Amino acid sequence: MDNRTTKVNAKHDGKNPKEQYVHSVFESIAGKYDIMNDVLSFRRHKAWRKFTMKKMNMRQGHTAIDLCCGTCDWTISMAHASETGHIVGLDFSEGMLNVGREKVAKDGRDQQITLVQGNAMNLPYENDTFDYATIGFGLRNVPDYMQVLHEMKRVVKPGGMVVCLELSKPTWQPFKGLYYFYFQQMLPLMGKVVAKRYEQYKWLPESLALFPGREELAEAFRQTGLKQVQAFPLTGGIAALHIGIKENLDV
């Protein structure tokens, strides 16, 4: 395997305005995506991912597909945890994958990681292929998050794990009010200063407003048919980790 990007189901023909717009957003911010993640989350996203990896408990040889992989930080973390297992990173943005490809090569994981330009709602893999299916900070950006959850469940093996790390909605005051002020007012301004993109970072709070909260997303996991669903609030609820297991009918 190598990390040359494979193009699969990556057409954006204007039939879905949200998909087309989100694609344009991430193409435009790809070069500044990592530094903006650090700035906007006060580097907490690294601690969130570390917590997630601990809960996942990956072992040598485990395989995974990382949807909306972006610049591949989580993809590479899973490759390290698995050591020898095949890891796929899938994203619809060529710009993001270009940044990720450089990271994969620098880390020496070219033979272990395959990067795929594709659609998270229509995965180009057979049923029961991977031990894990993950998505980090991408589920709120897709046109149909339930379809993505169904696809994630489909491609993991029986007993496999579906994992979502995503921004969420704090529920207690006064932190809730302070957070929404920062996220809705300050974040776009910081995007304008650091990444020279105002409208793109103004859209991020809007995407969260339409996305389900922690308990609602946990229920969506259950509706998908996943078992042993767990939801963990992170940093006062501004992010959340959701985990579900695909039922093993042999047990």
Side-chain angles (χ1 to χ4, degrees), residues 34-51:
D34 288 337
I35 189 172
M36 284 301 296
N37 271 357
D38 285 347
V39 170
L40 298 178
S41 74
F42 303 100
R43 295 181 66 88
R44 293 304 301 165
H45 69 100
K46 297 179 184 293
W48 299 338
R49 190 168 62 247
K50 183 177 180 180
F51 175 83

Side-chain angles (χ1 to χ4, degrees), residues 10-28 92-93 119 121 141-143 200 203:
K11 293 181 180 179
H12 301 276
D13 54 12
K15 292 182 180 180
N16 190 302
K18 178 177 179 179
E19 184 177 15
Q20 189 177 45
Y21 180 69
V22 172
H23 180 260
S24 69
V25 166
F26 283 96
E27 285 290 285
S28 69
F92 67 169
S93 168
N119 188 339
M121 297 195 300
N141 296 324
V142 301
Q200 288 83 349
W203 173 80

Side-chain angles (χ1 to χ4, degrees), residues 233-247:
L234 304 170
T235 313
I238 67 174
L241 167 64
H242 288 77
I243 293 174
I245 305 297
K246 181 173 179 176
E247 188 174 13

Side-chain angles (χ1 to χ4, degrees), residues 152-166:
M152 294 174 76
K153 179 194 171 195
R154 179 182 67 79
V155 299
V156 296
K157 302 172 184 177
M161 184 179 290
V162 172
V163 184
C164 174
L165 178 59
E166 184 57 272

